[in-house]
Structures are given as structure tokens and as C-alpha cells.
Amino acid sequence: YAPENEETANIFESMNSSQELAKPSTTKTEPFIAQLQYLRKPLWLVGPAILLLTGVVPTLWLPISSIFMGPTIATLLSLTGLDCIFNLGASLFLLIADSTARTAQPCCNKPPHAYKFWNTLANVTGFLVPLLVLFCSRRGLLEPQLPFISFAVLLGPYFLLLSVQMLTEMLTWHWGSPVWLVAPVVYEAYRLLQLMRGLGLGVELAAPNWMVHTVRGLVCGWVLVLGVQLMRIAWYAGFTSSLASSSSVDDY
């Protein structure tokens, strides 16, 4: 029986050696991963800088008189172009954030259905409320009436950017991007600046009080929505840390 024991021992040794060869060498990939993370570090400043230059700087430092030429289509196009610049910067920021957040190991980044329902409800409500106010104005329920071009100057860019936000959120959900939790915050924070700019334009347009109160109500509503989003980020951070700690305890 001794020769048979030697043969079986040789077979198990060969199997173990083949399994060791089949395993990927983590020691060789660790320096590459560390180098890749090091190259990603400057993006942590590049992304917010792009967001600052395209969103905050033009809104805060560009005087309204340079883009406001009365209730005309030229003013509407100027404001739309200003928001398109922010949209470009926001897209670049989200792409950079996506590249820095992704890891070598694939993972599921699908948001829960309750989150999708809440975001969709908030966006649709933000869309319908100003349209309902415009409908009431056209029906004569709100006096004095506001010309349509003045309404478009005040809230036209608002509708456009809200549509872009809804499209961006649906794309991040569909692609499983890790920035699905950050995308609404980026657009909603800029929306507050956008609506505050609308209040300034309302003074220039001599908008009626009901329109000014509508814009103020939108500001309050989106501050509430933004607060809920920030609380959700805090909850998600605590949830992931507790999940990671429980998995590490299970490993031991």
C-alpha cells in the first residue's frame, strides 16, 4: 500500500500547485491599483473646480444687466445659455465622480425603489406647480396677468434644467452609476441659485406679487427636497459603514 499512498500524495500535490497557479496574483496588481488611485487624487479637486467655474462663478459675478434685455427672446436665450454652461460642467463633474467612485471589483449600485419614487415625485411636483400657476393666470384666476414671454424668462430655464436633471437621474439608475445619490444634489443646489436669480429678474420685469410668491414657494420647496437628499446621504453613509463592520465581524 505504500506506493499507492505516494501516488495519491503526488496527485494532491500536483492539484494544489495547479490551483496556486490558477489564482490571480494579487501582489502584482496591488501596486497598479495603488498607482491608479494616486492618479485619481487630482480629480477630487478638478471636479469641484469645474462645477465652481461653470455654475457658481457666472451666476454670482455676472451682472444681471449684461444678460437682461427686457422680456425678450434674447434674454431667454441668454439665460438658457448660462444654464447650459452649468449643465456641461455638471455632466463633467458627474463623469469625474463616477470614475473616482468605481472600484476594480464590480458591485451593484442600483438605488432602492422608494428612492426612485421619492425623486420622481419631487421632480414631477416641481414641474406641475408652476404650470398650474400659469394655467390659473391664463384663466383669469390670478390678477394681474403675466405675459407668456415674461413667464418664460423667469421659469423657462428652470423647466429646462429640471428636465435635464430627470434625464440624468434615469441614466444613472439605468447604468448603475455610483453617482445616483449625488446627481440630484448637484442640480438642486444650483436650482436654488437659479430661482434666486429669478427673484431678481422678477423685480426687473415688474412681475405681479403672485408670481413672486410662486418663485419663493419653489425656493422653499426645493430647500426641503435638498435637505431630504442630504439626510439620505448621511443615512446611506451610516448604512454602508455598519454593513462593512458587520461583514468584517463575520469574517473573523
Side-chain angles (χ1 to χ4, degrees), residues 181-203:
L181 197 60
V182 183
V185 177
V186 173
Y187 285 96
E188 288 163 7
Y190 179 78
R191 182 163 299 117
L192 297 179
L193 295 176
Q194 190 182 45
L195 291 173
M196 295 302 293
R197 183 186 66 196
L199 288 175
L201 291 175
V203 176

Side-chain angles (χ1 to χ4, degrees), residues 74-241:
T75 302
L76 178 61
L77 293 178
S78 300
L79 295 173
T80 303
L82 193 65
D83 291 339
C84 287
I85 294 174
F86 164 76
N87 184 38
L88 178 61
S91 301
L92 292 176
F93 171 79
L94 292 176
L95 289 175
I96 292 173
D98 181 87
S99 65
T100 55
R102 289 188 182 273
T103 57
Q105 297 178 354
C107 59
C108 181
N109 290 304
K110 295 293 184 180
H113 293 289
Y115 173 84
K116 294 180 180 180
F117 175 77
W118 162 257
N119 275 29
T120 304
L121 179 62
N123 293 333
V124 171
T125 303
F127 226 106
L128 292 180
V129 169
L131 292 179
L132 181 62
V133 172
L134 178 63
F135 177 78
C136 293
S137 173
R138 291 300 174 185
R139 288 294 180 178
L141 299 177
L142 296 174
E143 294 292 343
Q145 290 190 2
L146 183 69
F148 180 78
I149 186 62
S150 299
F151 181 86
V153 168
L154 288 175
L155 293 180
Y158 165 85
F159 287 115
L160 178 62
L161 198 64
L162 184 57
S163 303
V164 173
Q165 176 188 345
M166 296 174 67
L167 178 61
T168 303
E169 289 181 7
M170 288 188 290
L171 290 177
T172 56
W173 299 343
H174 177 71
W175 292 333
S177 174
V179 300
W180 59 266
L181 197 60
V182 183
V185 177
V186 173
Y187 285 96
E188 288 163 7
Y190 179 78
R191 182 163 299 117
L192 297 179
L193 295 176
Q194 190 182 45
L195 291 173
M196 295 302 293
R197 183 186 66 196
L199 288 175
L201 291 175
V203 176
E204 299 290 337
L205 292 171
N209 291 331
W210 60 264
M211 188 64 203
V212 176
H213 292 321
T214 300
V215 177
R216 289 174 179 171
L218 289 175
V219 172
C220 296
W222 284 111
V223 167
L224 179 63
V225 173
L226 180 59
V228 173
Q229 298 284 7
L230 295 176
M231 290 184 66
R232 186 179 285 115
I233 291 176
W235 172 85
Y236 189 77
F239 174 75
T240 52
S241 62

